[in-house]
Amino acid sequence: MNILKLRILMMIDKFHKATDVAEALQIKQPTVSFHMKSLEKELGVSLFVSQQGRIMLTETGKKLLPYAKQMVALEQEARQTVNEHTEQSQGQLHIGAESISGTYVLPSMMAKFAQQYPECQIQLEIQSPDKVRQLLKQGEIDFAFLNDGEYSSEHTVVEPVASDRIGVIRSMSMEYTSKSMDALGPEMLAKGTWVRYSGPSVVDPYSSLIKPHLEMNSWEALKQVVSNGEALAFFPACGVLRNESSDVPSVEWLPWPHAEGQNERYHINLLYLRDTNLSMIQQAFLDFTRIEGLEDQRS
């Protein structure tokens, strides 16, 4: 008993003519008649009867009708479920992020999401905050990850998803008479050898406190410089506390409590355009971000 035969039974009850059923199903009229007879033969009962040029259901056919409707409805529901899952799994995501979240936070999150949706194609584009905002406004990316800043709430939804801190990194091999935070007191601003991240970021207010000896636009390159010498740098905690893969870390992250007027924490925000019809995979990613979240780096 296949679904097509049950559909024909339902449509005979609706149209009462094999030609109308054939037209509705876009098949030939002899095919409709064949399946009608095949269903009767399969069940061993009479389901259809001709009355004055119209095909009617017999009493047995009428009793079969509600079951046919249930089975066809279940088949449609099953197809819809499979199609939705396929759309989720085979969709595409284009994500834009500024340097910190794009380098240190999103990769691990994207890896987890890709495990759940292995057929989804995910593209991450790391750009300056202004460029990321522009890409989102133009609809060239689905989601943006940006740190604290001024965002237009009229056309953009902004959801905080994590928080992080700015501190100072120094080489683990540096010789200090004290390993306490006092070793990184305000006097280090003037006499220390500092490396500065040259791109726009939430570290900018801290970097303005120093006169850097070196500048570079790569967080990892900056970390390498610090780890191989006696330089210091203001650095996001997530770049060290969350991503240090070596058993023996090359740099040490310490909080900087002396920068007056600076917030202790900053937020990482998820942005997307308001009033946008999200695809299945986009909604799945949004739900994943909300449920899984981006864990705070360290309280």
Side-chain angles (χ1 to χ4, degrees):
M1 186 186 305
N2 63 36
I3 294 296
L4 178 56
K5 294 178 183 179
L6 298 176
R7 287 182 183 276
I8 290 174
L9 177 81
M10 293 168 53
M11 300 189 79
I12 286 292
D13 181 64
K14 178 179 180 180
F15 295 112
H16 304 293
K17 287 188 178 181
T19 52
D20 291 345
V21 173
E23 182 178 353
L25 293 175
Q26 297 184 341
I27 59 178
K28 296 180 179 180
Q29 186 272 330
T31 303
V32 172
S33 299
F34 170 80
H35 284 300
M36 291 170 61
K37 294 177 181 178
S38 175
L39 183 59
E40 289 182 318
K41 184 178 179 180
E42 180 180 349
L43 297 177
V45 295
S46 176
L47 301 172
F48 310 100
V49 61
S50 296
Q51 295 179 358
Q52 298 178 346
R54 291 160 59 87
I55 305 175
M56 311 298 291
L57 295 184
T58 64
E59 289 301 318
T60 304
K62 292 177 181 179
K63 289 186 177 295
L64 177 61
L65 182 60
Y67 296 100
K69 290 180 178 179
Q70 290 182 33
M71 294 172 71
V72 169
L74 283 173
E75 187 263 352
Q76 292 175 338
E77 182 180 343
R79 285 184 179 275
Q80 182 178 354
T81 300
V82 171
N83 289 338
E84 289 177 353
H85 182 269
T86 300
E87 183 180 348
Q88 285 183 337
S89 300
Q90 296 182 349
Q92 295 183 348
L93 276 177
H94 194 175
I95 301 170
E98 54 72 41
S99 57
I100 294 176
S101 58
T103 302
Y104 297 116
V105 180
L106 280 174
S108 60
M109 178 186 174
M110 291 170 60
K112 293 178 182 178
F113 185 78
Q115 289 179 346
Q116 294 189 21
Y117 301 92
E119 299 302 322
C120 177
Q121 297 180 357
I122 310 174
Q123 180 179 350
L124 173 62
E125 189 164 345
I126 301 176
Q127 296 283 357
S128 68
D130 287 342
K131 180 63 174 179
V132 173
R133 282 191 286 267
Q134 179 184 358
L135 291 173
L136 181 65
K137 183 178 180 180
Q138 295 174 345
E140 296 184 28
I141 57 176
D142 304 314
F143 298 100
F145 286 84
L146 293 169
N147 297 327
D148 286 336
E150 296 295 328
Y151 308 119
S152 171
S153 60
E154 182 179 357
H155 303 292
T156 305
V157 179
V158 181
E159 298 185 15
V161 292
S163 66
D164 189 32
R165 292 187 292 169
I166 300 299
V168 174
I169 58 171
R170 62 185 181 186
S171 172
M172 292 296 291
S173 62
M174 288 184 71
E175 295 294 334
Y176 282 98
T177 57
S178 171
K179 276 288 184 178
S180 69
M181 288 188 295
D182 293 337
L184 293 177
E187 69 279 1
M188 295 298 295
L189 294 173
K191 69 179 184 180
T193 301
W194 289 89
V195 187
R196 176 182 180 272
Y197 179 78
S198 59
S201 75
V202 291
V203 180
D204 287 349
Y206 294 83
S207 297
S208 64
L209 301 172
I210 62 173
K211 293 182 178 180
H213 295 75
L214 294 170
E215 294 192 27
M216 52 196 63
N217 64 353
S218 165
W219 292 109
E220 282 302 290
L222 186 153
K223 189 194 294 185
Q224 287 296 319
V225 170
V226 171
S227 67
N228 290 317
E230 295 188 354
L232 303 169
F234 285 104
F235 207 86
C238 63
V240 178
L241 304 181
R242 186 184 179 95
N243 292 276
E244 188 62 67
S245 58
S246 173
D247 293 336
V248 181
S250 59
V251 296
E252 177 184 21
W253 184 92
L254 292 173
W256 181 263
H258 310 288
E260 296 182 1
Q262 309 304 329
N263 294 326
E264 181 183 0
R265 305 187 75 89
Y266 68 92
H267 290 95
I268 298 172
N269 303 291
L270 168 67
L271 287 76
Y272 56 96
L273 295 180
R274 191 182 300 274
D275 300 326
T276 298
N277 292 324
L278 299 178
S279 68
M280 295 298 298
I281 193 64
Q282 290 169 347
Q283 187 63 55
F285 181 79
L286 182 58
D287 293 340
F288 176 87
T289 304
R290 289 168 172 167
I291 296 173
E292 293 291 327
L294 302 174
E295 296 180 358
D296 285 357
Q297 311 309 318
R298 182 173 288 185
S299 58

